[in-house]
Amino acid sequence: MSNGNQAFSVLGIPVHVMANYPGWLLECLHAGRGTHVVTLNAEMTMQAERNQLLAQVIKNAELVIPDGAGVVLYLRWLLWQKVQRFPGIELAEKLLQELGQQKIGAKVFFYGGAPGVAAKTADFWQQQIPDLNIVGTHSGYHSAEEEAQLRQTLVQLQPQVIFVGLGVPRQELWIAENRHLCPQAIWIGVGGSFDIWSGTKTRAPAWLGNNNLEWLYRLYQEPWRWRRMLALPAFAVKAFVYRLTARGAIS
């Protein structure tokens, strides 16, 4: 990171703290500087502890933002950082709005979700921002042959902003494996954001998010996630132990 921005260690995973994430990404876009954006939460952090490949991919990413409440509280309470939570869905929305307002014609691509979801997402954003230059979409459910065709399409189109909604850790690993196809692009893993934008699901009420309880709403919508939610208390315990034995600032 440049311009005085700093990365802090959350259980050994870097999180970048800055005042204006969308602005920094626009600088990358204008400079043609390829960027992988990771939206980090407690669950992903715990997955990275068990999956060294995922951990390395996150460490290699140019931007890791504090998406989850657990990560934010760690930075506030244990590292004394004045940081606000910045959910990945909000970063993506802000970036798309900026692209529309500035009318720079950056090519946008949506990849992921169930069949038809990425296309509905593109339709939603085209209605919201008519000047947005959406050059393509692709479902996250496909054969090996269809994925090979997707790679060829990306090479031909060279989109400059690519949103990947495959879920964690699949989207992070896929971006790391394929970002060379569009080396100057901004690649952002957005999890289930396509489901929200397409109208398939609804996002938690703002008051839940403001009180760090958005995870509870997701559990209500998807009860099968309860096993994955066990990562939250495990993260809290490890966070305190880790903080007692390691320094927080890493760059």
Side-chain angles (χ1 to χ4, degrees), residues 138-203:
H138 200 286
S139 165
Y141 292 75
H142 47 64
S143 65
E145 292 77 11
E146 290 169 331
E147 182 164 352
Q149 181 58 52
L150 166 63
R151 292 190 175 97
Q152 292 180 15
T153 298
L154 291 174
V155 170
Q156 294 168 357
L157 293 176
Q158 286 299 303
Q160 295 155 283
V161 181
I162 303 170
F163 296 100
V164 182
L166 300 177
V168 179
R170 184 182 167 200
Q171 64 193 17
E172 285 72 32
L173 300 178
W174 193 89
I175 290 172
E177 181 182 352
N178 292 281
R179 58 180 297 190
H180 68 281
L181 301 174
C182 305
Q184 295 182 314
I186 295 171
W187 301 73
I188 308 179
V190 293
S193 298
F194 290 0
D195 289 332
I196 306 297
W197 294 332
S198 67
T200 305
K201 295 179 182 177
T202 58
R203 195 177 174 195

Side-chain angles (χ1 to χ4, degrees), residues 39 67 86-97 108-113 116-129 132 134 137 161-166 171 188-203 221:
T39 60
D67 173 284
F86 207 136
I89 188 171
E90 294 181 11
L91 175 63
E93 290 172 352
K94 182 62 176 177
L95 183 58
L96 287 166
Q97 290 162 3
V108 177
F109 195 97
F110 296 98
Y111 166 47
V117 168
K120 289 181 180 178
T121 292
D123 290 342
F124 168 79
W125 280 110
Q126 202 71 79
Q127 293 174 15
Q128 298 293 312
I129 309 173
L132 201 60
I134 300 174
T137 69
V161 181
I162 303 170
F163 296 100
V164 182
L166 300 177
Q171 64 193 17
I188 308 179
V190 293
S193 298
F194 290 0
D195 289 332
I196 306 297
W197 294 332
S198 67
T200 305
K201 295 179 182 177
T202 58
R203 195 177 174 195
Q221 284 191 316

